[in-house]
Amino acid sequence: MRYGKQLLVLAALLVTIGAATQASAGSAQRTLTNPNVSIETIVQFGDNVQPVTIEENSRINIARVIQIGGTGTVDATIVQNGVRNYVDVIQVGGTTNASVGQSGLSNTAEITQIGNSTNALLLQIGDMNTGAVRQFGRFNWLAIFQFGR
């Protein structure tokens, strides 16, 4: 009987360790969408983060993407059409790629990339456009296009 309890404790410990290992690599996504407001938040971490694509078409659009990858490629594409658009992208990986397209009266985008190769494309069409891109890497590429209506 004594060994049976020890085996149960050992089994519970192994299950706990297995759950902790799985939780240390994964993703979380939160979405709220209606005709007036669209909010999407995606957080990914681990060696094999998946490409992220977000398309929002509400009056107010908010997208936040945080991708913490290993040495591989990290990709995010965000398209927003609305009156007010806000994007915040934070990427860490061997190669980071971010493409943001915004069309509306007020567009704000912030992109932060850390990796060996960082690539960002920002297109904003509207009367009040604000864009900030921070790239920390050996090979950095950036294109920003801002057009008034």
Side-chain angles (χ1 to χ4, degrees):
M1 187 70 174
R2 181 173 176 231
Y3 293 109
K5 286 183 182 181
Q6 288 177 344
L7 285 175
L8 285 175
V9 170
L10 180 61
L13 180 63
L14 289 174
V15 168
T16 305
I17 291 171
T21 303
Q22 290 174 358
S24 67
S27 65
Q29 182 172 347
R30 181 81 172 149
T31 304
L32 166 71
T33 302
N34 65 46
N36 291 319
V37 179
S38 183
I39 301 171
E40 187 145 5
T41 301
I42 297 175
V43 178
Q44 296 180 327
F45 51 92
D47 287 335
N48 297 317
V49 297
Q50 298 300 309
V52 170
T53 302
I54 296 174
E55 184 174 347
E56 297 176 315
N57 294 300
S58 296
R59 290 181 43 127
I60 299 170
N61 299 305
I62 301 169
R64 293 188 175 122
V65 176
I66 300 171
Q67 295 175 302
I68 310 296
T71 58
T73 302
V74 177
D75 293 308
T77 303
I78 301 165
V79 177
Q80 295 177 320
N81 297 302
V83 177
R84 288 184 171 77
N85 302 306
Y86 176 78
V87 168
D88 187 17
V89 176
I90 299 171
Q91 295 177 314
V92 178
T95 300
T96 61
N97 302 308
S99 299
V100 176
Q102 297 175 310
S103 178
L105 282 177
S106 176
N107 301 307
T108 302
E110 293 192 20
I111 301 170
T112 302
Q113 297 175 310
I114 301 169
N116 188 49
S117 176
T118 63
N119 306 292
L121 172 63
L122 175 57
L123 169 64
Q124 295 176 316
I125 301 170
D127 290 336
M128 295 184 292
N129 299 314
T130 303
V133 178
R134 293 168 288 281
Q135 293 177 315
F136 304 94
R138 292 186 62 203
F139 305 101
N140 303 314
W141 180 85
L142 166 64
I144 297 176
F145 300 96
Q146 293 177 314
F147 302 100
R149 288 183 174 223

